[in-house]
C-alpha cells in the first residue's frame, strides 16, 4: 500500500469542486452503512436522504467521479465505496502525528475511526517532559524536540494540532518546515500557512455558538406565534409598593388608617379608615382636601 508522501490522489487535477469534495465523506459514510447491511444497490433518492443532501446535487457530484448509475437500478454500493475511497485517497496508508496530548489530544489518539479510514497515528508528541514515555492509546508519547525526526522517519504529511491556542502557530510552522502539507487544527486560533498547505479547522465552541443562535431564533419565532415580539420582556409588571396612609376621617378625629389587609374591627365591617393601598383620587374631610395616597 502506498503511503502519503509518495502518492497523492488526482482530485484537483480532475477538477472536482471543493464543495463536492466536502460531501464525498458523507456519501462514503452512508454507503459504508449500506455495505455492512449487504445492500447491493441504492437509488439516488435513498442515498441522498441518508447523506442529508438533495438527489440532484448527489447525481451532479457523482458525475465528477464518472459514475452515473443505472436507470431503474440505481448505484452499485460496493463500486461507489471503492470509487469514493480512491478519490479521497483512502486506499493508501496516511501516517498522522498528533501534537498536544492533553485531554483532547488523548481523546483523538483513542478514536478508532482514524484507523478504519486509512489514517494511522504514527506518533503522539507533547512539549511537557512529564508526558514523555507515557502510553496513550498504546502509543508512547514523544517530546516535541523530536518532531522533525519523527515526521521524516514516518513520511508524515498530515499533522493534527491539539495544543493551546498560544502554542499552535509555532507548532504549525515547525510542521510545515518539516514537510507536513495538511493540518487539522483543533486549537482555537487561526493559523497562517504558506501556499500549498491545506488547513482544516475544527472549533467546537464555534459550532455551539451557531447552535445557540438557531435556538434563540426558534425561541423568537415561538414568541412571535404567541403575539409576543422577539426579545420582549414577558414578565408581569411589578406591583406598586404598598404605601402607609394616614388621613383624617370625616368626623375629624384624625384616626390612623391601618395598612391594607387589616382585620375587621369586630363590628362586621372593615377597620375604620381602611382604603386599598395605591388607590387614587382624594377625599374631603372636615378640614378640607387631604390626599388619600401620599407619594412613596
Amino acid at each position: 500500500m502506498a503511503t502519503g508522501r509518495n502518492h497523492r490522489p488526482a482530485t484537483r487535477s480532475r477538477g472536482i469542486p471543493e464543495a463536492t469534495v466536502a460531501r464525498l465523506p458523507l456519501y462514503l459514510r452512508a454507503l459504508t452503512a449500506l455495505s455492512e447491511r449487504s445492500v447491493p444497490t441504492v437509488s439516488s433518492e435513498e442515498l441522498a436522504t441518508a447523506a442529508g443532501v438533495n438527489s440532484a446535487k448527489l447525481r451532479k457530484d457523482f458525475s465528477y467521479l464518472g459514475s452515473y448509475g443505472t436507470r431503474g437500478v440505481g448505484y452499485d454500493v460496493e463500486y461507489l465505496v471503492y470509487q469514493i475511497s480512491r478519490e479521497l485517497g483512502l486506499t493508501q496508508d496516511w501516517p498522522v502525528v498528533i501534537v498536544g496530548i492533553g485531554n483532547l489530544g488523548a481523546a483523538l489518539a483513542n478514536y478508532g475511526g482514524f484507523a478504519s479510514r486509512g489514517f494511522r497515528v504514527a506518533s503522539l508528541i507533547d512539549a511537557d517532559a512529564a508526558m514523555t514515555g507515557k502510553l496513550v492509546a498504546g502509543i508512547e508519547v514523544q517530546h516535541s524536540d523530536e518532531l522533525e525526526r519523527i515526521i521524516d522517519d514516518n513520511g508524515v504529511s498530515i499533522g493534527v494540532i491539539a495544543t493551546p491556542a498560544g502554542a499552535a502557530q509555532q507548532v504549525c510552522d515547525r510542521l510545515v518546515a518539516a514537510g507536513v502539507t495538511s493540518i487539522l487544527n483543533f486549537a482555537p486560533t487561526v493559523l497562517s500557512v504558506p501556499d500549498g498547505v491545506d488547513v482544516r479547522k475544527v472549533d467546537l465552541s464555534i459550532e455551539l455558538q451557531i447552535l445557540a443562535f438557531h435556538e434563540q431564533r426558534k425561541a423568537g419565532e415561538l414568541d412571535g406565534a404567541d403575539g409576543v415580539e422577539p426579545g420582549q420582556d414577558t414578565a408581569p409588571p411589578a406591583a406598586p409598593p404598598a404605601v402607609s396612609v394616614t388621613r383624617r376621617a370625616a368626623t375629624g378625629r384624625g384616626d390612623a388608617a391601618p395598612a391594607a389587609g387589616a382585620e375587621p374591627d369586630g363590628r362586621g365591617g372593615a377597620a375604620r379608615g381602611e382604603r386599598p393601598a395605591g388607590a387614587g383620587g382624594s377625599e374631603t374631610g372636615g378640614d378640607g382636601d387631604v390626599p388619600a395616597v401620599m407619594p412613596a
Side-chain angles (χ1 to χ4, degrees), residues 6-106:
N6 54 34
H7 176 73
R8 292 186 179 276
T11 299
R12 289 179 177 173
S13 63
R14 290 165 60 111
I16 298 179
E18 287 294 331
T20 296
V21 173
R23 288 189 289 269
L24 292 182
L26 304 179
Y27 302 142
L28 182 60
R29 180 174 61 188
L31 287 163
T32 300
L34 292 171
S35 177
E36 290 172 350
R37 302 198 326 255
S38 300
V39 176
T41 59
V42 62
S43 69
S44 59
E45 288 79 9
E46 292 170 330
L47 184 53
T49 299
V53 302
N54 66 65
S55 58
K57 185 176 293 183
L58 178 142
R59 289 190 292 269
K60 179 67 173 177
D61 289 341
F62 284 177
S63 70
Y64 292 111
L65 307 180
S67 181
Y68 294 91
T70 303
R71 184 177 294 277
V73 177
Y75 295 96
D76 183 283
V77 170
E78 292 299 331
Y79 182 62
L80 262 185
V81 168
Y82 167 74
Q83 268 192 310
I84 296 175
S85 296
R86 181 187 63 185
E87 204 62 48
L88 290 173
L90 304 183
T91 55
Q92 58 189 291
D93 175 58
W94 292 100
V96 175
V97 295
I98 300 177
V99 184
I101 314 303
N103 292 332
L104 178 57

Side-chain angles (χ1 to χ4, degrees), residues 158-216:
I158 298 178
V160 178
I161 297 178
T163 66
Q169 186 62 57
Q170 182 182 14
V171 169
C172 174
D173 293 341
R174 290 183 63 189
L175 288 172
V176 171
V180 169
T181 53
S182 292
I183 294 173
L184 181 60
N185 177 33
F186 283 89
T189 187
V190 177
L191 299 176
S192 176
V193 296
D195 291 340
V197 177
D198 294 307
V199 176
R200 298 289 294 181
K201 179 171 175 55
V202 180
D203 192 324
L204 302 181
S205 66
I206 287 179
E207 299 304 321
L208 287 171
Q209 290 173 53
I210 293 172
L211 289 175
F213 165 80
H214 290 296
E215 284 301 310
Q216 178 175 258

